Amino acid sequence: MTAIIGHDTPGQRSGRPGAPAVPPPPRPRRKLNIAGGVGHIILAIWALMIIVPLIWVFLASFKNTTEIFSAPWTLPEHLRWENWGRAWTKANVGRYVLNSAFVVAVATAGTMLLSAMAAYVLARYKFVGNRLIYFLFVAGIAFPPFLAVVPLFFQVKQISSLAVIGPYFGLNSYGGLIVVYIAYSLPFTIFFLTAFFRSLPNSVAEAATIDGASHTRLFFSVMLPMAKPGLISLTIFNLIGQWGQYLLPLLLMAGAKDKWVLTQGIQDISTAAGYEADWSGLFAALTISILPMIVMYIIFQRQIQAGLTAGAVK
């Protein structure tokens, strides 16, 4: 009686009378992923290398020059917002921010419109020279801007001599800088958008065509909204890239200080800070230039990640 109450019989343990006992399944052993651990360590180090200098610049923007050099790794004694005000007004950072915002907004809009139209045709239509045109665009990714600065300068200078479009698209003009921004952003954007448009389902396009949609309406009303995740991601990447562009504005806008963009203004402030010892104003200007892109990335990080993965698998 005690054995029956205190212990389960083999049949009771297996669930069937008289059946042999079933041993529990072995626990799966965890595999030691050395490569994954090393990868996480490298990513953590890389993140620290990016985040620590940004935090240091942000804190230095609230210090005075003495604190910056005597106690660079300590918190500021108090928040000196006058550094930001001095950078915005005296150093003309406000003007440079507005110039950059105008140029980047127009250039990014033009880049996305032209890239989307070109990528859609290259991805969805078959014609003679399709692959050649695509590879010519892709080849543009391999040529960084500094390789073409000399011919680019003389090309834009020749446009400046034209009476009709020279004042608007030549040297020291917003239009010339915007056109060059668009030209350098097209290869990267077309390369990724072409792959994204190829991943979109053909059934939706066929249904719209049967309903009588023209090629233009099919693109703007059907395919373009379906490509929204990829468009948002590439828009953010182009905004960040064009916002931080320095070589092209230096080449094309050197003679018009009132039209300088933010990177040119920061360089001028950096030069002046060495003579005036206004390092706190310099770091305040740097913080003002960095914050818009950080805020934009934080707001749209979900859309960026969704856009990068949405076109990866058809």
Side-chain angles (χ1 to χ4, degrees):
M1 185 69 179
T2 305
I4 295 175
I5 295 174
H7 301 279
D8 291 335
T9 63
Q12 290 174 330
R13 288 196 298 269
S14 62
R16 297 192 304 273
V22 178
R27 294 181 179 180
R29 295 182 179 180
R30 295 183 178 179
K31 294 182 178 180
L32 183 61
N33 191 350
I34 300 178
V38 173
H40 282 82
I41 294 174
I42 294 175
L43 288 176
I45 295 174
W46 179 79
L48 289 175
M49 292 174 62
I50 299 297
I51 295 173
V52 171
L54 291 177
I55 296 176
W56 188 86
V57 170
F58 179 75
L59 294 177
S61 67
F62 294 104
K63 298 180 179 180
N64 55 30
T65 303
T66 302
E67 285 183 283
I68 291 173
F69 287 97
S70 62
W73 298 106
T74 60
L75 295 175
E77 294 181 359
H78 60 274
L79 300 181
R80 296 179 173 84
W81 291 104
E82 62 271 14
N83 296 341
W84 291 49
R86 189 169 63 255
W88 186 268
T89 55
K90 183 180 177 181
N92 296 321
V93 171
R95 176 66 180 177
Y96 301 145
V97 168
L98 294 178
N99 291 344
S100 290
F102 171 73
V103 171
V104 171
V106 178
T108 302
T111 299
M112 297 309 301
L113 178 62
L114 297 176
S115 298
M117 292 190 293
Y120 172 72
V121 172
L122 293 174
R124 312 291 295 193
Y125 294 91
K126 302 300 180 182
F127 55 90
V128 178
N130 179 297
R131 302 304 295 171
L132 176 62
I133 296 174
Y134 173 74
F135 285 122
L136 287 176
F137 275 117
V138 173
I141 303 177
F143 293 93
F146 62 82
L147 290 180
V149 290
V150 175
L152 177 64
F153 175 80
F154 285 106
Q155 186 69 35
V156 179
K157 186 177 180 180
Q158 289 181 356
I159 297 176
S160 302
S161 61
L162 301 178
V164 179
I165 63 174
Y168 304 101
F169 295 97
L171 293 174
N172 302 319
S173 66
Y174 290 130
L177 185 61
I178 290 171
V179 169
V180 173
Y181 272 11
I182 293 174
Y184 272 104
S185 302
L186 284 177
F188 170 81
T189 311
I190 290 176
F191 173 72
F192 282 95
L193 280 182
T194 300
F196 196 89
F197 277 116
R198 286 174 182 166
S199 68
L200 298 180
N202 292 324
S203 57
V204 178
E206 293 172 355
T209 304
I210 294 173
D211 290 339
S214 63
H215 293 289
T216 303
R217 185 171 183 181
L218 174 63
F219 171 70
F220 284 103
S221 301
V222 179
M223 306 306 291
L224 204 60
M226 292 177 63
K228 183 179 178 181
L231 293 173
I232 293 177
S233 300
L234 290 169
T235 298
I236 301 301
F237 281 126
N238 281 313
L239 282 172
I240 295 174
Q242 294 175 3
W243 184 269
Q245 181 60 247
Y246 173 69
L247 181 61
L248 295 178
L250 181 66
L251 179 70
L252 303 176
M253 302 283 286
K257 190 172 182 178
D258 59 323
K259 298 180 181 180
W260 279 4
V261 295
L262 191 56
T263 50
Q264 290 176 284
I266 295 297
Q267 188 275 336
D268 185 64
I269 297 171
S270 176
T271 303
Y275 296 97
E276 299 179 5
D278 190 9
W279 296 100
S280 55
L282 171 62
F283 290 121
L286 287 173
T287 305
I288 293 173
S289 66
I290 294 171
L291 279 180
M293 295 299 103
I294 295 178
V295 172
M296 183 173 297
Y297 183 82
I298 293 174
I299 294 174
F300 294 103
Q301 61 178 331
R302 292 182 180 272
Q303 289 82 351
I304 293 174
Q305 295 172 2
L308 290 177
T309 56
V313 181
K314 185 173 181 180

